Amino acid sequence: MTAVADRSLGPELARTEHIGPDTDVLVIGLTSSENGPAIVPDDLFSDVLDAEMRAELLDQLGAVGAKGKAEELTRVPAPAALTGVTSVLAVGLGPADKIDAEQIRRSAGVAARSLNGTELVVTTLSGLDLSAAAEGFYLGAYSFTPFKSGKSAPKPDERPVVRVELLVPEPHFGTEELLRAQLVAEAVATARDFVNTPPSHLFPAEFASRAAILAEAAGLEVEVLDEKALEAGGYGGVLGVGKGSSRPPRLVRLTYAGGAKKIALVGKGITFDTGGISIKPAQNMENMTSDMAGAAAVVATTLLAARLGLPVTVIATVPMAENMPSSTAQRPGDVLTQYGGTTVEVINTDAEGRLILADAIVRAAEDSPDYLIDVATLTGAQMVALGTRTPGVMGTDEFRDRVARISREVGENGWAMPLPAELRADLNSKIADLANVAPHRWGGMLSAALFLKDFVPEDVQWAHLDVAGPAYNTGGPFGYIGKGGTGVPVRTLISVIESIGVE
């Protein structure tokens, strides 16, 4: 196996009651109103920022135009009485009555991204929501630089903030909250790392190896099926998609046994997607390095469940393949036999994700899970329907709605979508059990989910998350999200698993 690089994924987080003498920046929250900006929380840390210092800071901030608008940044010299602090960064939170955990997370992320080259930051945002502030700072400071040589590697004043201390009102306040927030943020960063690693360095065998190393270190049971084992087991979908590449497919199984309730996670792991014979346009094809984001999220979440010691059993089934055009690639018109025996006519080789997921779903169902969640960058239609920041959530009605609600609560914006019965007939094949695409472009995200539904047992609560846009940011940074892999939907998955654990 190839060793996984050991590197810091984010800043060191710590609780503190006091501001130390070597603080570079104090980050405070600023709300907006018709009467001007206000510093929040207003009285929790009065021993750090007394009324006189608050008044002085508000005068300074007002003088340079600070309004407190959401995610607005204003930096001023620290008041002389604020011993040991070089400067104060005020980050906008918007109207006080609109502040929620996600706004705190976003504002903390924006602040973190502006503090490159800073050694030590102390913040009062933790007085509003410790977990949200910690996650926001950690994820906002995330960077991915393993492939930058000395010519372009960040200089000291360009490197992310090293340490963030979160002010708390008493010594033991928020110990468990901070630990969970850090573990969750680290899992998101792990998923981002996988997604951001280029396909030259993260092909199926390497992806499987890295996942196995991390899982074994976390005490998980690991099974990796290579191409021979896949053929012997009848995994026709994974093999069919991967047969055009010189780098053969894999299927990884990770098991965390923590309790009676059993949750199956399935993640699409296409390490690069050219579209195969139905080749994609060249423009923006480089973004298809993200086509394994579902697998990355599932691996990271399973590791996180183990690190949190959740009282459930989580079994991840992760198919990995590279979809390439070649003389050995599957062709439009071919028929393959999925794991479990269903035959599929391949109309479009660029609708490959559903083929590998179908194999994995059938295998995962053999474990008799109570819940099954699959995650995939599955369709461009997701972005047409919902944009680039809103995952589509489909599945059995009650569980679908629960997952979508939790996704919105944690700031990942999932939205419940229907599975119209009339679209299912469009997946009928004239020569096989199913066709892998409908003969039209209407409701493409929904048709893909309906294809997967054929492989899900009727007695299993199921949710399908299409994260084609939300898993990879091709635009500018926003909030705690930078360019590239976002780690969506790790926070949704772990929160759903936690909710199942307390049923």
Side-chain angles (χ1 to χ4, degrees):
M1 290 184 178
T2 304
V4 181
D6 180 17
R7 69 179 194 85
S8 175
L9 299 176
E12 181 183 355
L13 301 177
R15 291 172 302 109
T16 184
E17 295 174 80
H18 309 288
I19 297 179
D22 301 318
T23 301
D24 295 302
V25 182
L26 172 65
V27 177
I28 62 174
L30 207 63
T31 59
S32 62
S33 73
E34 293 180 357
N35 300 320
I39 296 172
V40 290
D42 56 359
D43 57 1
L44 188 60
F45 303 117
S46 56
D47 56 333
V48 174
L49 284 176
D50 60 28
E52 188 175 336
M53 280 190 282
R54 286 171 179 271
E56 182 179 346
L57 274 172
L58 282 173
D59 285 343
Q60 286 181 279
L61 292 166
V64 293
K67 304 295 184 184
K69 295 178 181 178
E71 295 154 53
E72 170 193 75
L73 294 174
T74 310
R75 192 164 175 176
V76 296
L82 202 53
T83 308
V85 179
T86 304
S87 63
V88 175
L89 176 66
V91 58
L93 294 162
D97 61 349
K98 298 292 179 63
I99 297 174
D100 58 11
E102 178 62 8
Q103 184 58 65
I104 295 165
R105 203 177 284 118
R106 290 177 182 176
S107 294
V110 168
R113 288 194 287 106
S114 74
L115 292 170
N116 286 351
T118 306
E119 288 289 326
L120 175 60
V121 169
V122 178
T123 184
T124 61
L125 291 177
S126 46
L128 300 170
D129 189 317
L130 177 63
S131 293
E135 286 182 14
F137 272 103
Y138 193 104
L139 296 174
Y142 171 89
S143 66
F144 186 79
T145 59
F147 294 92
K148 289 185 176 289
S149 71
K151 295 179 180 180
S152 63
K155 297 177 176 60
D157 62 349
E158 298 171 333
R159 292 171 188 160
V161 58
V162 175
R163 180 179 172 89
V164 177
E165 294 186 349
L166 300 112
L167 280 169
V168 293
E170 56 187 50
H172 301 294
F173 178 88
T175 302
E176 292 183 3
E177 290 86 347
L178 182 59
L179 175 60
R180 181 190 180 278
Q182 179 147 353
L183 291 176
V184 169
E186 287 174 356
V188 174
T190 295
R192 288 180 178 183
D193 270 4
F194 275 132
V195 174
N196 290 330
T197 301
S200 53
H201 291 71
L202 196 76
F203 42 93
E206 177 66 9
F207 191 7
S209 173
R210 295 191 187 197
I213 290 171
L214 292 173
E216 288 169 356
L220 273 61
E221 180 183 332
V222 178
E223 179 186 16
V224 178
L225 303 184
D226 63 13
E227 65 273 27
K228 293 181 181 177
L230 289 169
E231 185 172 2
Y235 290 87
V238 181
L239 288 167
V241 173
K243 65 194 266 189
S245 175
S246 61
R247 305 193 286 193
R250 295 288 186 269
L251 186 132
V252 175
R253 300 251 303 157
L254 309 177
T255 301
Y256 161 66
K261 287 283 186 181
K262 193 178 294 185
I263 303 148
L265 299 181
V266 174
K268 175 186 171 185
I270 298 295
T271 58
F272 193 76
D273 184 17
T274 66
I277 297 298
S278 307
I279 198 163
K280 294 177 180 290
Q283 186 175 12
N284 300 321
M285 193 193 288
E286 69 277 7
N287 294 332
M288 287 299 100
T289 184
S290 68
D291 213 19
M292 35 60 66
V298 162
V299 170
T301 300
T302 308
L303 296 169
L304 178 57
R307 295 187 73 186
L308 291 171
L310 300 183
V312 295
T313 291
V314 180
I315 305 175
T317 304
V318 188
M320 302 171 176
E322 186 176 56
N323 189 23
M324 299 288 285
S326 74
S327 62
T328 60
Q330 67 179 355
R331 297 159 291 261
D334 281 359
V335 171
L336 55 78
T337 302
Q338 302 278 171
Y339 182 79
T342 298
T343 59
V344 174
E345 181 185 9
V346 180
I347 303 296
N348 187 329
T349 65
D350 194 25
E352 85 297 331
R354 65 200 70 183
L355 300 177
I356 69 169
L357 287 173
D359 277 2
I361 286 170
V362 175
R363 176 61 187 92
E366 291 179 348
D367 298 315
S368 301
D370 300 291
Y371 299 90
L372 191 154
I373 308 173
D374 76 83
V375 185
T377 49
L378 202 59
T379 66
Q382 177 273 319
M383 291 180 279
V384 174
L386 295 172
T388 59
R389 300 186 189 180
T390 303
V393 185
M394 291 139 278
T396 52
D397 291 354
E398 182 179 350
F399 190 48
R400 171 202 64 195
D401 292 347
R402 178 178 174 183
V403 171
R405 173 181 54 79
I406 290 173
S407 180
R408 291 193 297 277
E409 288 173 354
V410 302
E412 289 189 333
N413 306 319
W415 198 256
M417 298 295 285
L419 293 177
E422 70 273 12
L423 292 178
R424 172 57 185 83
D426 297 330
L427 295 173
N428 290 335
S429 165
K430 60 184 182 294
I431 59 171
D433 298 330
L434 281 171
N436 75 327
V437 293
H440 55 72
R441 58 191 294 267
W442 316 122
M445 174 175 63
L446 313 180
S447 291
L450 283 165
F451 178 92
L452 296 179
K453 184 175 184 289
D454 260 43
F455 299 88
V456 179
E458 291 186 3
D459 61 345
V460 174
Q461 292 292 305
W462 166 58
H464 161 63
L465 281 73
D466 193 334
V467 293
Y472 196 73
N473 178 30
T474 59
F478 60 93
Y480 50 91
I481 304 292
K483 288 186 69 108
T486 66
V488 172
V490 169
R491 292 185 297 119
T492 295
L493 294 177
I494 199 63
S495 295
V496 171
I497 292 170
E498 287 174 324
S499 77
I500 293 170
V502 296
E503 287 182 345

